[in-house]
Amino acid sequence: MADKRFQSLPGFRDFTPRDCAIRNYLFSVWRNVAHRYGFTEYEAPIVESTELYLKKSGGELTTQLFRFQDQGGRDITLRPELTASLARIVGANQRDFPKPLKWFEIGPCFRYEKPQKGRGREFIQFNADILGESSAAADAELIAMAIDTMLCLGFREGDFVIRASDRASWVNFCAEHDISEPSEFLPIIDRLEKLKPEALKEQLDNFGITREQVDHFISDKENASPAFREIQANLEARGLGKYLELDLTIVRGLAYYTGAVFEIFDTKKSMRAVAGGGRYDGLLSTLSNGAADLPATGFAMGDMVIRNFIEETPNALLEMEAWLARHPACQVYVVIADESNRHSALTVISQLRTAGIATDYVMTQLNVGKQFKKAEQSGARFALVIGEEYPEMQLKILSSRTEATIHPNTDVVTAIQSHLDSPDGPLIA
Amino acid sequence: MADKRFQSLPGFRDFTPRDCAIRNYLFSVWRNVAHRYGFTEYEAPIVESTELYLKKSGGELTTQLFRFQDQGGRDITLRPELTASLARIVGANQRDFPKPLKWFEIGPCFRYEKPQKGRGREFIQFNADILGESSAAADAELIAMAIDTMLCLGFREGDFVIRASDRASWVNFCAEHDISEPSEFLPIIDRLEKLKPEALKEQLDNFGITREQVDHFISDKENASPAFREIQANLEARGLGKYLELDLTIVRGLAYYTGAVFEIFDTKKSMRAVAGGGRYDGLLSTLSNGAADLPATGFAMGDMVIRNFIEETPNALLEMEAWLARHPACQVYVVIADESNRHSALTVISQLRTAGIATDYVMTQLNVGKQFKKAEQSGARFALVIGEEYPEMQLKILSSRTEATIHPNTDVVTAIQSHLDSPDGPLIA
């Protein structure tokens, strides 16, 4: 991309074939895990009325909007996230669906921020939400799915950890220390590691709290909330308890979270959070003007940080490469060694494609050597050679150049399908 | 959607679960056909610099842009189509890929026009292009894929037709009738059926041509171009010739087409074109300032007209419903008949999900009758009942209520997988 004339806008990505295949791998794992967990897919428009986002508390987001007027004078915005659309759609349709709703979505979001590693202006998010279930069992179900997403991507114990907490713990802390507005105190905890010591001290002083009191509270596992303990027991029953870690410093920045909150990190903590989520019981009601007053818990994972994490984790990278190898652009390359048989070749190509086999060929006359070169570039395992002895054909394994004859009375589709289904090895005709 | 507060913007759609599943069905068929034909998927950003679209000839499009300034003062636009992005991406990366490129893309596009049946402001397009191959064999390859897309959607002979032509035929006509600027004459042919007789006469008069001369030319199959004949022979070799019809009135509105052009119509012609495409040999060079001077042929199909067409065509509708039935949100619903076994149930649920089986359950205590009701609503074929006799379990077919016992020494995943793989019938434990 050296040539500036052909660059995409800053923070926007071109997905050339390999990047697109990696994106599709993420889509495939996300959909697969969501389906296993009984989640149903929905999609929202990419553009919404701006007022939908202004309603949602959470300050920073509204300064990062791709916001504009359409030709009809409407104030519209490219969606920066999905929850506002979800609330709108559920507000309109909730009577049509039994509760709880387990819904997921995969699609692009847009934020005007400084492009950097793991962060772009257009990124793809996997969103999963459970609406209409207030118990911690729903948080556990969601966190279990988040963990399984990581496992399906090939991550293992030791690669990642879910750090979870419950805002209820800090509400207790506030009650014990006569802090009347926990919503003003929680943002300090959120910025505990970001604030400079003096600034932190000053902010804590305003509430009559010392750093030592905060550290002491965080280090005592007894401060886990009943909901956290329930989530932990639930995950242990699923064999997933080992991925969960109590971390009372996790409160999530946004003001609308009301209960359990969690983030997924790489164990080395060398990058930003891979995913995050939590309970937001009041938000749907606010966003839908009371039409969808449902307790809710949800999480989101973006495509940029997780791709970096995969590429830095050998087992996850292997898993991805194996998937890519199982999804080649071409399975069989037809080499037309005798131009007078081109129409016969088209007939065979049609038969293979109709059987679902990815088949390619050179569209105009070319010498056989060059056709084989293209066959190799295509990534196909097999070349099917159609020459002057047609209807007899030769099938070659491109990696080993071993070959077998397909006799005129053989069904070519069946013959090739059986070879595709077998691992490579000497071909026996 | 009676409540206006929750409506999406005009021309933008919410995809609630059934609509999203139908969208995914289209995606699945489009990807499947493209793969069979050896096409590779790419994706472009949803937002591009506006100048990319202003370069492209084709008047109407630029009045329909969702165009605005971003926070950095850039003049940007939501993509109204993909070809401009394709040219930019290929201009930047073409040296990395052997020619011809066979690339496809599936994603949303945006046009500010009056929302009506089959037309929205956000719609999804399937784009396929062959770049770097100037022969009619490439047009045939592309048209064959368009036909196979229709067949894979369940349409049959008689439901649809590809009406194709070649601008070369009209260039010949112009030469024979001393029309020096075919590019000024062709738009009249494009609007032949839309113009009022007087207006048409007046416009033809300017070129010294009568309606009769035009009709005579159109009705004579001998005016098919050599490229059209080659496409026809090529499709016949594939067994697809019967879907192709010469129609010299097809010239496609946009000025950048240079050769073969085609449109897919329902045979009743009760709706607008389902898909359209053609050869555009000069456009990539114009759009990429000469960096990608590749001959090209491509086509696009939108999701809105094709969905209407499917829903009005019984065989296509059956095909779609069969796919939807094969992709239920839930396969096995676990009924927890004894609350004290909830953690054991979570263990079983985890095992089923890890095996790839879509499994759901009620997250908090509920009486068994209500759990069965939810099992039925879920669309699952099976309920797995975990009661006080656990680890013995009962497996019920929900449609027939026949049941089988899963004995404690049986592997529950294997047992359920074998039932899922068999058609419904009396269960034998």
Side-chain angles (χ1 to χ4, degrees):
Chain A
M1 298 283 281
D3 194 329
K4 278 205 163 191
R5 290 174 302 168
F6 306 123
Q7 277 181 6
S8 54
L9 289 164
F12 288 82
R13 289 172 292 170
D14 295 332
F15 290 83
T16 49
R18 183 176 158 88
D19 289 326
C20 193
I22 290 174
R23 182 204 68 164
N24 286 355
Y25 167 67
L26 290 176
F27 286 5
S28 164
V29 171
W30 287 342
R31 283 210 168 89
N32 192 321
V33 176
H35 283 144
R36 292 182 195 183
Y37 274 76
F39 280 70
T40 311
E41 190 168 356
Y42 72 99
E43 180 56 297
I46 281 172
V47 184
E48 294 272 14
S49 178
T50 303
E51 66 175 329
L52 195 62
Y53 301 109
L54 300 183
K55 271 189 214 168
K56 187 171 172 178
S57 43
E60 194 181 37
L61 215 53
T62 58
T63 67
Q64 299 178 338
L65 297 179
F66 278 94
R67 176 180 176 176
F68 60 112
Q69 272 208 348
D70 74 7
Q71 293 190 32
R74 293 175 197 85
D75 183 351
I76 66 179
T77 288
L78 303 191
R79 65 187 189 194
E81 52 86 43
L82 259 294
T83 315
S85 299
L86 176 64
R88 184 182 58 66
I89 295 172
V90 170
N93 301 284
Q94 66 151 317
R95 285 181 197 163
D96 300 340
F97 302 101
K99 308 292 168 314
L101 271 64
K102 295 167 73 175
W103 279 18
F104 79 98
E105 184 273 350
I106 296 169
C109 293
F110 304 83
R111 292 184 194 168
Y112 193 85
E113 47 186 348
K114 193 175 157 53
Q116 51 192 291
K117 190 182 179 192
R119 193 167 279 188
R121 290 184 180 167
E122 177 180 12
F123 55 96
I124 302 169
Q125 247 185 14
F126 170 37
N127 286 275
D129 296 86
I130 301 177
L131 312 179
E133 177 57 64
S134 59
S135 83
D139 301 289
E141 174 82 348
L142 196 77
I143 292 172
M145 186 170 77
I147 294 170
D148 258 335
T149 303
M150 298 303 289
L151 298 177
C152 285
L153 287 168
F155 294 102
R156 297 181 194 162
E157 193 180 355
D159 292 333
F160 72 98
V161 63
I162 306 252
R163 297 161 74 203
S165 176
D166 181 350
R167 288 201 169 188
S169 291
W170 286 103
V171 172
N172 272 351
F173 177 91
C174 291
E176 282 169 16
H177 295 84
D178 294 322
I179 298 168
S180 57
E181 293 294 343
S183 64
E184 288 169 18
F185 182 74
L186 276 164
I188 309 177
I189 303 303
D190 185 47
R191 280 171 289 152
L192 215 51
E193 293 173 27
K194 286 174 199 148
L195 287 172
K196 293 199 174 136
E198 309 80 56
L200 177 62
K201 182 175 183 313
E202 194 185 314
Q203 295 200 17
L204 289 173
D205 278 351
N206 291 338
F207 292 92
I209 299 293
T210 65
R211 175 73 203 238
E212 289 64 38
Q213 284 174 301
V214 167
D215 288 346
H216 181 75
F217 184 80
I218 289 167
S219 64
D220 187 352
K221 300 287 177 202
E222 290 301 310
N223 290 318
S225 71
F228 179 86
R229 290 169 205 271
E230 197 182 327
I231 291 167
Q232 194 165 41
N234 184 306
L235 291 179
E236 271 160 16
R238 303 173 195 240
L240 302 175
K242 59 190 168 195
Y243 302 102
L244 184 74
E245 196 175 273
L246 175 70
D247 183 343
L248 291 168
T249 67
I250 303 279
V251 294
R252 308 268 302 151
L254 300 166
Y256 55 73
Y257 286 108
T258 56
V261 284
F262 66 95
E263 293 180 346
I264 304 183
F265 286 95
D266 66 308
T267 311
K268 293 183 213 144
K269 238 196 138 185
S270 66
M271 45 189 91
R272 62 182 89 237
V274 170
R279 179 162 286 283
Y280 53 98
D281 283 345
L283 186 62
L284 283 183
S285 178
T286 307
L287 288 175
S288 68
N289 299 316
D293 186 10
L294 296 170
T297 183
F299 92 98
M301 176 184 284
D303 72 322
M304 296 180 70
V305 176
I306 194 75
R307 179 173 167 178
N308 292 341
F309 191 17
I310 290 169
E311 292 178 335
E312 291 171 21
T313 310
N315 21 317
L317 185 58
L318 269 175
E319 191 78 22
M320 182 174 86
E321 294 294 351
W323 188 94
L324 296 173
R326 285 198 307 275
H327 293 82
C330 180
Q331 296 173 287
V332 175
Y333 205 93
V334 173
V335 169
I336 303 173
D338 172 21
E339 191 60 27
S340 72
N341 273 321
R342 174 165 292 273
H343 277 193
S344 302
L346 286 173
T347 308
V348 172
I349 289 163
S350 257
Q351 288 166 355
L352 293 173
R353 288 173 169 172
T354 300
I357 298 168
T359 309
D360 211 352
Y361 67 104
V362 176
M363 284 178 275
T364 48
Q365 188 161 10
L366 193 69
N367 78 49
V368 172
K370 286 183 180 164
Q371 287 187 61
F372 268 103
K373 194 168 168 215
K374 285 193 176 284
E376 275 157 15
Q377 287 170 336
S378 77
R381 259 176 76 197
F382 297 103
L384 179 67
V385 185
I386 295 180
E388 53 188 24
E389 63 282 8
Y390 179 85
E392 185 178 293
M393 294 175 268
Q394 301 297 321
L395 187 64
K396 297 196 189 223
I397 297 185
L398 283 161
S399 59
S400 62
R401 292 286 171 112
T402 41
E403 69 173 69
T405 299
I406 296 188
H407 294 287
N409 53 350
T410 314
D411 176 50
V412 61
V413 170
T414 312
I416 289 184
Q417 192 62 64
S418 73
H419 286 303
L420 280 171
D421 294 342
S422 321
D424 270 359
L427 277 177
I428 297 151
Chain B
M1 297 285 283
D3 194 327
K4 279 204 162 192
R5 289 174 304 167
F6 305 124
Q7 279 181 4
S8 54
L9 289 163
F12 288 81
R13 291 172 292 169
D14 295 332
F15 291 83
T16 49
R18 184 177 156 86
D19 289 325
C20 193
I22 289 173
R23 182 204 69 165
N24 286 355
Y25 167 67
L26 291 175
F27 287 4
S28 164
V29 171
W30 287 341
R31 285 212 167 87
N32 192 319
V33 175
H35 283 144
R36 290 182 197 184
Y37 274 76
F39 280 71
T40 310
E41 189 168 358
Y42 73 99
E43 179 56 298
I46 282 174
V47 184
E48 293 271 16
S49 177
T50 302
E51 66 174 329
L52 195 63
Y53 301 109
L54 300 182
K55 272 189 214 166
K56 187 171 173 176
S57 43
E60 195 182 37
L61 215 54
T62 58
T63 66
Q64 297 177 340
L65 297 179
F66 278 93
R67 175 180 178 176
F68 60 111
Q69 273 208 347
D70 74 7
Q71 292 189 33
R74 295 174 194 85
D75 184 352
I76 65 178
T77 287
L78 303 191
R79 64 186 190 194
E81 52 83 46
L82 261 292
T83 315
S85 300
L86 177 63
R88 183 182 58 68
I89 295 173
V90 170
N93 300 284
Q94 66 150 318
R95 287 183 195 162
D96 300 339
F97 303 100
K99 312 290 167 314
L101 271 62
K102 295 168 72 176
W103 279 19
F104 79 98
E105 183 273 349
I106 296 169
C109 293
F110 304 82
R111 291 184 196 170
Y112 194 86
E113 47 186 349
K114 194 175 152 59
Q116 51 193 290
K117 192 182 177 191
R119 195 166 277 190
R121 291 184 180 169
E122 177 181 10
F123 54 95
I124 302 168
Q125 246 184 16
F126 170 38
N127 287 275
D129 295 87
I130 300 178
L131 312 180
E133 177 56 64
S134 60
S135 82
D139 300 289
E141 173 82 349
L142 196 77
I143 292 173
M145 186 169 77
I147 294 170
D148 257 335
T149 303
M150 298 303 287
L151 298 178
C152 285
L153 287 168
F155 294 101
R156 298 181 192 162
E157 193 180 355
D159 291 334
F160 73 98
V161 63
I162 306 253
R163 298 162 73 204
S165 176
D166 182 350
R167 287 199 168 188
S169 291
W170 287 102
V171 172
N172 272 351
F173 177 92
C174 290
E176 282 168 17
H177 294 83
D178 295 322
I179 298 169
S180 58
E181 292 294 342
S183 63
E184 288 169 18
F185 182 74
L186 277 165
I188 310 178
I189 304 303
D190 185 48
R191 280 172 289 150
L192 215 52
E193 292 172 27
K194 285 175 200 145
L195 288 172
K196 292 196 174 138
E198 308 80 55
L200 177 61
K201 185 177 181 311
E202 194 186 314
Q203 296 200 18
L204 289 173
D205 279 351
N206 291 338
F207 292 91
I209 298 293
T210 66
R211 173 73 203 236
E212 288 66 36
Q213 285 175 297
V214 167
D215 286 346
H216 181 74
F217 184 80
I218 289 168
S219 65
D220 187 353
K221 300 288 177 201
E222 291 300 312
N223 290 318
S225 71
F228 179 85
R229 290 170 207 271
E230 196 183 327
I231 292 167
Q232 193 164 42
N234 185 304
L235 290 179
E236 270 159 18
R238 304 174 195 240
L240 301 175
K242 60 191 167 192
Y243 302 102
L244 183 75
E245 198 175 87
L246 174 71
D247 183 343
L248 292 168
T249 67
I250 303 280
V251 294
R252 308 270 302 154
L254 299 167
Y256 56 74
Y257 286 108
T258 56
V261 284
F262 66 94
E263 293 181 347
I264 304 183
F265 286 96
D266 66 307
T267 311
K268 293 184 211 143
K269 236 194 140 187
S270 66
M271 45 189 93
R272 64 182 87 238
V274 171
R279 179 164 284 283
Y280 53 98
D281 282 345
L283 186 62
L284 283 183
S285 178
T286 307
L287 288 176
S288 68
N289 299 316
D293 186 9
L294 296 171
T297 183
F299 90 98
M301 176 184 284
D303 71 321
M304 296 181 71
V305 176
I306 193 72
R307 178 173 168 178
N308 293 339
F309 191 18
I310 289 170
E311 291 177 335
E312 290 170 22
T313 309
N315 17 321
L317 185 57
L318 269 175
E319 192 77 22
M320 181 174 87
E321 293 293 351
W323 188 93
L324 295 174
R326 285 198 306 276
H327 294 80
C330 181
Q331 294 173 287
V332 175
Y333 205 93
V334 173
V335 170
I336 303 172
D338 173 20
E339 191 59 28
S340 71
N341 273 320
R342 174 164 293 274
H343 277 191
S344 302
L346 286 173
T347 307
V348 173
I349 289 163
S350 256
Q351 289 167 355
L352 294 172
R353 287 172 170 174
T354 300
I357 298 168
T359 309
D360 212 352
Y361 67 103
V362 176
M363 284 178 273
T364 48
Q365 187 160 13
L366 192 70
N367 79 50
V368 172
K370 286 184 180 164
Q371 287 188 62
F372 268 103
K373 196 168 166 211
K374 285 192 175 285
E376 277 158 11
Q377 287 170 337
S378 77
R381 258 176 78 197
F382 297 104
L384 178 68
V385 185
I386 295 179
E388 53 188 21
E389 63 283 6
Y390 180 84
E392 183 178 294
M393 293 174 270
Q394 301 296 320
L395 187 65
K396 298 197 189 223
I397 296 186
L398 283 161
S399 59
S400 61
R401 291 290 172 110
T402 41
E403 69 173 68
T405 298
I406 296 188
H407 295 288
N409 52 350
T410 316
D411 175 52
V412 61
V413 169
T414 312
I416 289 183
Q417 193 62 63
S418 72
H419 286 303
L420 280 171
D421 294 341
S422 321
D424 271 359
L427 278 178
I428 297 152

